[in-house]
Amino acid sequence: MRPITTFVRHNGIKALIGAEKCVKTVSGGKLCNNLFDCKPKYVGSSVRVLKETEDMTYIAKYGADGKISDGRFKILVTTDLHLWDEKPLIEKSLEMLARHIAAEKPDLVLFTGDVILTDFQQIDSVQFAQFMEKIGVYWAICFGNHEARDEKEYHKYFMLKNIVGFPHCLSKFGDEKLFGYGNFAINIMNSDNTIRQSIFMFDSGRDVYMKYLVRHDAPRTIKGYDFLKKNQIDWYKNSIRKLEAEHGKFKSMMMMHIPLCEYQEVMELDENGNYVPTGKAEILYGGMYESVGCSQFNSGMFDAVLEMGSTQAIFAGHDHINDFCAKYKGVYLVYAQCNGYNTYTMGSNYGWDEKDWMQGVTMVDLQADGSISFRQKFNRDYL
């Protein structure tokens, strides 16, 4: 019954949004104020999908000559739009995102969770997908802790089902045996059929439950945020082995919402209550203004990263006023720039003027040899 119900509900939502748009127009904007009003500029894309599997999509950038280009590939990463509650702040977050995309013209846009948090998530997930399709760039999203209530619930399944059918959305359900929804990879290909970069996206869950602790031999006293499960880690390792067997050694990145425990190794509180470098990592940019909201249980994903030797950067969201990029044991630990306004900020927590807030996006410049560099882009430039 699920596929039939999903089809009916999904198409019903699209029809409802279309009808509401008509009502809003006829009423002169007095009715149906739940609709997103942001009208982004069309950017378009020179990226094409080469092939797809259950849990992977292969893409490449094409040049004007109609051939695969090995030129710079630009990825825009952002997180925690927190599209929720106050309509003006929803529109502000979307407008800022649209401006960054129009300015940078990225080849791929990635969201590391906590995007659609409204009371009408099913409707607004479709609205958000429609917003992205108007821009015309390829994009993908992994779930955050506020979008999820449990790992295999129907509303979460339906949210993902709502977006995966849109032409430029690269999100996938992935292997149904894995924890959560939306464990998948995007492989960016070069002209010689080598992988320029593989991007692994994970559902990092919400909170720990006793069944997880028992199943993963974790201390029963653990509370708080969730952790990546063993079957997710095994999927990551097996995927790298399979891809290497076909394409040779390659570099990769990892995207998730809840940061790994290793993010705690970058900074620590001093005697004055300020976060300062621990000396264990090289900090490239940014700062830390709240504790790392990771799980109390380290399930071993970072050890798997070191073991496989492929992943050079890990991106997380979740902690809205942390924005550092640091190199720890040879791996970049990156906080994607938070872009949302319906959440706590440096203004609410520290009284900073908005012109100094860290809201924005993180740009990743990717070269043909797999090397990467990072740039922070701030919303304050558009105030």
Side-chain angles (χ1 to χ4, degrees):
M1 290 297 294
R2 175 176 284 186
I4 297 175
T5 306
T6 300
F7 175 81
V8 172
R9 290 186 65 182
H10 177 69
N11 285 280
I13 286 172
K14 293 175 74 173
L16 173 63
I17 292 173
E20 284 191 322
K21 287 180 179 178
C22 293
V23 172
K24 187 166 187 175
T25 300
V26 171
S27 68
K30 295 179 180 179
L31 301 175
C32 300
N33 287 318
N34 61 298
L35 295 177
F36 294 175
D37 292 325
C38 182
K39 295 178 174 59
K41 292 182 179 179
Y42 176 77
V43 173
S45 177
S46 59
V47 170
R48 300 180 194 174
V49 174
L50 304 179
K51 68 174 182 178
E52 296 182 73
T53 67
E54 176 190 41
D55 56 5
M56 292 190 182
T57 303
Y58 296 74
I59 63 174
K61 184 175 182 176
Y62 279 73
D65 59 359
K67 298 180 180 179
I68 293 177
S69 169
D70 293 329
R72 181 176 61 160
F73 194 101
K74 296 169 67 175
I75 304 173
L76 184 153
V77 188
T78 191
T79 191
D80 291 87
L81 272 71
H82 275 245
L83 303 181
W84 172 74
D85 194 23
E86 294 187 41
K87 181 72 179 300
L89 297 183
I90 290 177
E91 297 301 330
K92 184 175 182 179
S93 298
L94 292 175
E95 177 64 28
M96 290 297 184
L97 173 62
R99 285 177 176 240
H100 285 298
I101 295 175
E104 287 289 340
K105 296 178 172 58
D107 300 298
L108 179 63
V109 177
L110 300 174
F111 300 94
T112 63
D114 278 6
V115 176
I116 309 295
L117 311 184
T118 65
D119 292 335
F120 307 98
Q121 283 181 304
Q122 307 304 334
I123 294 175
D124 293 338
S125 59
V126 174
Q127 285 204 83
F128 181 74
Q130 291 175 335
F131 165 83
M132 290 301 300
E133 289 301 312
K134 289 177 182 177
I135 299 175
V137 298
Y138 282 93
W139 59 283
I141 186 172
C142 57
F143 284 126
N145 62 300
H146 285 299
E147 284 151 333
R149 297 180 181 88
D150 201 351
E151 84 278 20
K152 289 291 183 183
E153 60 184 323
Y154 185 68
H155 104 277
K156 188 174 171 183
Y157 167 91
F158 193 54
M159 280 188 69
L160 189 54
K161 194 70 175 178
N162 281 346
I163 67 174
V164 294
F166 282 87
H168 291 87
C169 180
L170 300 181
S171 293
K172 285 184 173 293
F173 280 89
D175 187 341
E176 64 178 13
K177 295 187 294 294
L178 299 184
F179 171 89
Y181 290 116
N183 299 287
F184 61 96
I186 301 169
N187 300 314
I188 303 169
M189 307 302 292
N190 282 324
S191 60
D192 61 358
N193 200 40
T194 57
I195 297 176
R196 183 190 297 217
Q197 197 84 194
S198 185
I199 303 171
F200 290 91
M201 309 281 284
F202 292 96
D203 183 345
S204 57
R206 179 179 173 90
D207 300 314
V208 294
Y209 297 96
M210 184 56 67
K211 61 182 179 180
Y212 300 160
L213 301 179
V214 172
R215 194 177 302 157
H216 298 277
D217 196 27
R220 305 299 190 266
T221 56
I222 285 178
K223 298 179 180 178
Y225 294 120
D226 218 337
F227 53 88
L228 294 179
K229 309 303 183 294
K230 184 179 184 301
N231 60 17
Q232 293 173 293
I233 298 173
D234 289 343
W235 169 76
Y236 160 76
K237 293 165 68 173
N238 291 334
S239 295
I240 289 178
R241 293 187 184 107
K242 290 178 181 178
L243 289 170
E244 286 182 343
E246 183 176 355
H247 299 281
K249 295 288 185 179
F250 63 93
K251 296 296 184 182
S252 61
M253 294 187 287
M254 187 179 287
M255 306 276 163
M256 66 195 70
H257 185 70
I258 298 173
L260 298 182
C261 297
E262 283 71 18
Y263 276 67
Q264 298 177 112
E265 301 297 324
V266 176
M267 295 194 187
E268 61 186 355
L269 277 173
D270 66 7
E271 62 275 9
N272 298 316
N274 299 313
Y275 287 98
V276 298
T278 62
K280 299 177 182 179
E282 175 192 357
I283 300 174
L284 281 71
Y285 64 74
M288 181 167 167
Y289 300 92
E290 62 174 310
S291 61
V292 174
C294 62
S295 175
Q296 295 178 6
F297 177 64
N298 192 329
S299 59
M301 176 56 92
F302 192 80
D303 290 340
V305 166
L306 297 182
E307 176 189 344
M308 300 309 296
S310 170
T311 297
Q312 56 185 334
I314 300 170
F315 285 78
H318 192 50
D319 303 328
H320 308 165
I321 53 177
N322 292 340
D323 70 340
F324 65 69
C325 171
K327 199 167 189 178
Y328 175 68
K329 294 187 177 180
V331 179
Y332 294 106
L333 301 179
V334 189
Y335 272 112
Q337 223 68 29
C338 172
N339 194 58
Y341 290 93
N342 266 321
T343 180
Y344 62 90
T345 64
M346 292 302 293
S348 63
N349 285 30
Y350 287 91
W352 288 18
D353 190 278
E354 188 175 352
K355 66 180 177 61
D356 298 317
W357 292 4
M358 58 185 64
Q359 262 68 9
V361 302
T362 305
M363 292 302 305
V364 183
D365 296 311
L366 174 61
Q367 307 304 326
D369 63 357
S371 59
I372 54 177
S373 57
F374 311 98
R375 294 182 284 124
Q376 290 177 292
K377 303 294 290 185
F378 296 101
N379 293 358
R380 60 195 184 215
D381 294 337
Y382 299 113
L383 292 177

